[in-house]
Amino acid sequence: MAALSRERLYTHHVGFLVFNTQMGVVLFTLPRIAATHFGTNGWAAILIVSVIAIFNIYLISLVNKVGKGESFFDIVEKTIPKWVLAPLYLFMTSVFSMIGCLVVKQYVLIYQLLIFPSTPDIVLKLVVDVLVLLLLLKGIYTISKANIIFCLLLLMLAPIFAAFTSEFDSVRLTTSFFKDGENSVKGFITIYSAFMGYEISLFFMPYASRSVKWIRGVYIGNFVVTSVYLLVTFICYGVFSYVQLKLQSFPLLDLLAYLKFPFMERIQNFLYSVFLISVLVTASMYYWTSKETLSRLVPKIKGTYLSPAIMVVTFFISYMAETLTVVEKWFGYLSIMLIGLAFFLPVFALVILLFRKRSLPNV
């Protein structure tokens, strides 16, 4: 508790954490997803999804406001016995940890495909997992501070997209919206999963500033992610057209291949390597959330033991996902579960808070 009184997460910490947690490997495939499922001008679907994400963030802000900064776990455990909550906690632990695991697995498989085709993916994943664990063991405050530097490095790459203005042709955008799409429902879920990461802010409350202003960081992080997703997808639509995007596995990598520097070949591989810093933060935050949840069931076990244990279990589970296709399939199922949790948990907490207030009107 002493650590909690000394350090706090403020708006800028939360904003950068949410931004980097939301940013995922899906950025490299997002233009293809938009073109495949929404067709012409599918980039506009990102705006619709972002608005829904903002509503979800609003629900989380209500929990923070009505609960007066009380931990989500304390809110529900004061009303419902822990043994009743155990199945929910185990489900949350499983989903959060597997999301963190698959984020690394997906990155590693693409990295293997691009740069180290002869190196076993399990070796690459082990290396990245060790980096994630080292970051995770430092705690939420150290992660938040290191993440600011990571985010600034990523945002410094944004001016690169100015180089594609000469290749951009507005004619490729067409004048119609959402035509020739295949499955808008599946596309919506896939694009919405690209925004996931803000839901972990529900567990920041005991670590955040006593002021409710820290929640603004969640909105800011989501806004920056929306801007990045729109920028990348819009430019890809103007450079390749939606028909070409449907045929490309990694449109952003194909776009970056247009860049030529005299001192470096295959710049897209270098930029993809830099993206590892985002993967480290995303994975560590989901593992952190998983550890926080599981620790409520086994409070006597220290987090320094829980974190490695969770990562070892998920490491062996990930061994069964040998191809990128299988990983994306698993991601599809887990994304539905994660989206469900993102809406259910704040609503669940709000219902309990309202019930408590009616039962104890003077509290």
Side-chain angles (χ1 to χ4, degrees), residues 11 14-15 18 22 50-51 53-62 198 201 212-226:
T11 302
V14 174
V18 170
Q22 284 183 293
S50 181
V51 170
I54 290 172
F55 172 71
N56 199 173
I57 295 171
Y58 174 69
L59 292 177
I60 295 173
S61 70
L62 285 180
Y198 63 80
S201 61
V212 295
K213 292 181 180 179
W214 69 266
I215 202 72
R216 294 177 183 174
V218 187
Y219 288 105
I220 294 171
N222 184 74
F223 172 77
V224 177
V225 166
T226 302

Coordinates of all heavy atoms in Angstrom, one line a residue, residues 11 14-15 18 22 50-51 53-62 198 201 212-226:
T11 N -3.0 11.3 -16.2 CA -3.7 11.3 -17.5 C -2.7 10.9 -18.7 O -3.0 10.1 -19.5 CB -4.2 12.7 -17.8 OG1 -5.2 13.1 -16.8 CG2 -5.0 12.7 -19.2
V14 N -1.9 7.2 -18.6 CA -3.0 6.4 -19.0 C -3.2 6.5 -20.5 O -3.4 5.5 -21.2 CB -4.3 6.8 -18.3 CG1 -5.5 6.0 -18.9 CG2 -4.2 6.5 -16.8
G15 N -3.0 7.7 -21.0 CA -3.2 8.0 -22.5 C -2.2 7.2 -23.3 O -2.6 6.5 -24.3
V18 N -3.0 3.3 -23.0 CA -4.1 2.9 -23.8 C -3.7 2.9 -25.3 O -4.1 1.9 -26.0 CB -5.3 3.8 -23.5 CG1 -6.4 3.5 -24.5 CG2 -5.8 3.5 -22.1
Q22 N -3.7 -0.6 -27.4 CA -4.7 -0.7 -28.5 C -3.9 -1.0 -29.8 O -4.4 -1.8 -30.6 CB -5.5 0.5 -28.7 CG -6.6 0.7 -27.6 CD -7.5 1.9 -27.9 OE1 -7.0 3.0 -27.8 NE2 -8.7 1.7 -28.2
S50 N -15.0 3.3 -33.7 CA -14.4 4.2 -32.7 C -15.5 4.8 -31.8 O -15.3 4.9 -30.6 CB -13.6 5.3 -33.4 OG -13.0 6.1 -32.4
V51 N -16.6 5.2 -32.4 CA -17.7 5.8 -31.6 C -18.2 4.8 -30.6 O -18.5 5.2 -29.5 CB -18.8 6.3 -32.6 CG1 -20.1 6.7 -31.8 CG2 -18.3 7.5 -33.4
A53 N -16.6 2.3 -29.3 CA -15.5 2.2 -28.3 C -15.6 3.3 -27.3 O -15.4 3.1 -26.1 CB -14.2 2.1 -29.0
I54 N -15.9 4.5 -27.8 CA -16.0 5.7 -26.9 C -17.2 5.5 -25.9 O -17.0 5.8 -24.7 CB -16.2 7.0 -27.7 CG1 -14.9 7.3 -28.5 CG2 -16.7 8.1 -26.8 CD1 -15.1 8.5 -29.5
F55 N -18.3 4.9 -26.4 CA -19.4 4.6 -25.5 C -19.0 3.6 -24.4 O -19.3 3.8 -23.2 CB -20.6 4.1 -26.3 CG -21.7 3.6 -25.4 CD1 -22.5 4.5 -24.7 CD2 -22.0 2.2 -25.3 CE1 -23.5 4.0 -23.9 CE2 -23.0 1.8 -24.5 CZ -23.8 2.7 -23.8
N56 N -18.2 2.6 -24.8 CA -17.7 1.7 -23.8 C -16.8 2.3 -22.8 O -16.8 2.0 -21.6 CB -17.0 0.5 -24.6 CG -16.8 -0.7 -23.7 OD1 -16.4 -1.8 -24.2 ND2 -17.2 -0.7 -22.5
I57 N -16.0 3.2 -23.3 CA -15.1 4.0 -22.3 C -15.9 4.8 -21.4 O -15.6 5.0 -20.2 CB -14.1 4.9 -23.1 CG1 -13.1 4.0 -24.0 CG2 -13.3 5.8 -22.2 CD1 -12.3 4.8 -24.9
Y58 N -17.0 5.4 -21.9 CA -17.9 6.2 -21.0 C -18.5 5.3 -19.9 O -18.6 5.8 -18.8 CB -19.0 6.7 -21.9 CG -20.1 7.4 -21.1 CD1 -19.8 8.7 -20.4 CD2 -21.4 6.9 -21.0 CE1 -20.8 9.3 -19.7 CE2 -22.4 7.5 -20.2 CZ -22.1 8.7 -19.6 OH -23.0 9.4 -18.9
L59 N -18.8 4.0 -20.2 CA -19.3 3.1 -19.2 C -18.2 2.9 -18.1 O -18.6 2.9 -16.9 CB -19.7 1.8 -19.8 CG -20.9 1.8 -20.7 CD1 -21.1 0.4 -21.3 CD2 -22.2 2.2 -20.0
I60 N -17.0 2.8 -18.5 CA -15.9 2.6 -17.6 C -15.7 3.9 -16.7 O -15.5 3.8 -15.5 CB -14.6 2.3 -18.3 CG1 -14.7 0.9 -19.0 CG2 -13.4 2.3 -17.4 CD1 -13.5 0.6 -19.9
S61 N -15.9 5.0 -17.4 CA -15.8 6.3 -16.6 C -16.9 6.4 -15.6 O -16.6 7.0 -14.5 CB -15.8 7.5 -17.6 OG -17.1 7.7 -18.1
L62 N -18.0 5.9 -15.9 CA -19.1 5.9 -14.9 C -18.8 5.1 -13.7 O -19.1 5.4 -12.6 CB -20.4 5.4 -15.6 CG -21.1 6.4 -16.5 CD1 -22.4 5.7 -17.1 CD2 -21.5 7.7 -15.8
Y198 N -8.4 -0.5 -24.4 CA -8.9 0.5 -23.5 C -9.6 -0.2 -22.3 O -9.7 0.4 -21.2 CB -9.9 1.4 -24.2 CG -11.2 0.7 -24.8 CD1 -12.2 0.4 -23.9 CD2 -11.3 0.3 -26.1 CE1 -13.4 -0.2 -24.4 CE2 -12.4 -0.4 -26.5 CZ -13.4 -0.6 -25.7 OH -14.5 -1.3 -26.1
S201 N -8.3 -0.3 -18.7 CA -8.4 0.9 -17.8 C -9.4 0.7 -16.7 O -9.3 1.4 -15.7 CB -8.8 2.2 -18.6 OG -10.1 2.0 -19.2
V212 N -10.6 12.3 -11.0 CA -11.3 11.5 -12.0 C -10.8 12.0 -13.4 O -11.1 11.3 -14.4 CB -12.8 11.7 -12.0 CG1 -13.4 11.2 -10.7 CG2 -13.2 13.2 -12.1
K213 N -9.9 13.0 -13.5 CA -9.4 13.5 -14.7 C -8.5 12.4 -15.5 O -8.3 12.5 -16.7 CB -8.6 14.8 -14.5 CG -9.5 15.9 -14.1 CD -8.6 17.2 -13.9 CE -9.5 18.4 -13.4 NZ -8.7 19.6 -13.3
W214 N -8.0 11.4 -14.8 CA -7.2 10.5 -15.4 C -7.9 9.7 -16.5 O -7.3 9.2 -17.5 CB -6.6 9.5 -14.4 CG -7.6 8.5 -13.8 CD1 -8.3 8.7 -12.7 CD2 -8.0 7.3 -14.4 NE1 -9.1 7.6 -12.4 CE2 -9.0 6.7 -13.5 CE3 -7.7 6.5 -15.5 CZ2 -9.6 5.5 -13.7 CZ3 -8.3 5.3 -15.7 CH2 -9.3 4.8 -14.8
I215 N -9.2 9.6 -16.4 CA -10.0 8.9 -17.4 C -9.9 9.6 -18.8 O -10.2 8.9 -19.8 CB -11.5 8.7 -16.9 CG1 -12.1 7.6 -17.7 CG2 -12.2 10.0 -17.2 CD1 -11.7 6.2 -17.2
R216 N -9.6 10.9 -18.8 CA -9.4 11.6 -20.1 C -8.3 10.9 -20.9 O -8.4 11.0 -22.1 CB -9.1 13.0 -19.8 CG -10.2 13.9 -19.1 CD -9.7 15.3 -18.8 NE -10.7 16.1 -18.1 CZ -10.5 17.3 -17.7 NH1 -9.3 17.9 -17.9 NH2 -11.4 17.9 -17.0
G217 N -7.3 10.4 -20.2 CA -6.3 9.7 -20.9 C -6.8 8.6 -21.8 O -6.2 8.3 -22.9
V218 N -7.8 7.9 -21.3 CA -8.4 6.7 -22.1 C -9.0 7.3 -23.4 O -8.8 6.7 -24.5 CB -9.4 6.0 -21.3 CG1 -9.9 4.7 -22.0 CG2 -8.9 5.6 -19.9
Y219 N -9.7 8.4 -23.3 CA -10.3 9.0 -24.5 C -9.2 9.5 -25.4 O -9.4 9.3 -26.6 CB -11.2 10.2 -24.1 CG -12.5 9.8 -23.4 CD1 -12.7 10.0 -22.0 CD2 -13.6 9.3 -24.1 CE1 -13.9 9.6 -21.4 CE2 -14.8 9.0 -23.5 CZ -14.9 9.1 -22.1 OH -16.1 8.8 -21.5
I220 N -8.2 10.1 -24.9 CA -7.1 10.6 -25.7 C -6.4 9.5 -26.4 O -6.1 9.6 -27.6 CB -6.1 11.4 -24.9 CG1 -6.8 12.7 -24.3 CG2 -4.9 11.8 -25.7 CD1 -6.0 13.5 -23.3
G221 N -6.1 8.4 -25.7 CA -5.4 7.3 -26.3 C -6.3 6.7 -27.4 O -5.7 6.3 -28.5
N222 N -7.6 6.5 -27.2 CA -8.5 6.0 -28.2 C -8.5 6.9 -29.4 O -8.6 6.4 -30.6 CB -9.9 5.8 -27.6 CG -10.8 5.1 -28.6 OD1 -10.7 3.9 -28.9 ND2 -11.7 5.9 -29.2
F223 N -8.5 8.2 -29.2 CA -8.5 9.2 -30.3 C -7.3 9.1 -31.2 O -7.4 9.1 -32.4 CB -8.7 10.6 -29.7 CG -8.5 11.7 -30.8 CD1 -9.6 12.0 -31.7 CD2 -7.4 12.4 -30.9 CE1 -9.5 12.9 -32.6 CE2 -7.2 13.4 -31.9 CZ -8.3 13.6 -32.8
V224 N -6.1 9.0 -30.5 CA -4.9 8.9 -31.3 C -4.8 7.6 -32.1 O -4.4 7.6 -33.2 CB -3.6 8.9 -30.3 CG1 -2.4 8.8 -31.1 CG2 -3.6 10.3 -29.6
V225 N -5.3 6.5 -31.5 CA -5.3 5.2 -32.2 C -6.2 5.3 -33.4 O -5.9 4.8 -34.5 CB -5.8 4.1 -31.3 CG1 -6.1 2.8 -32.1 CG2 -4.6 3.7 -30.3
T226 N -7.4 5.9 -33.2 CA -8.4 6.1 -34.3 C -7.7 6.9 -35.4 O -7.9 6.5 -36.6 CB -9.6 6.8 -33.8 OG1 -10.2 6.1 -32.7 CG2 -10.6 7.0 -34.9

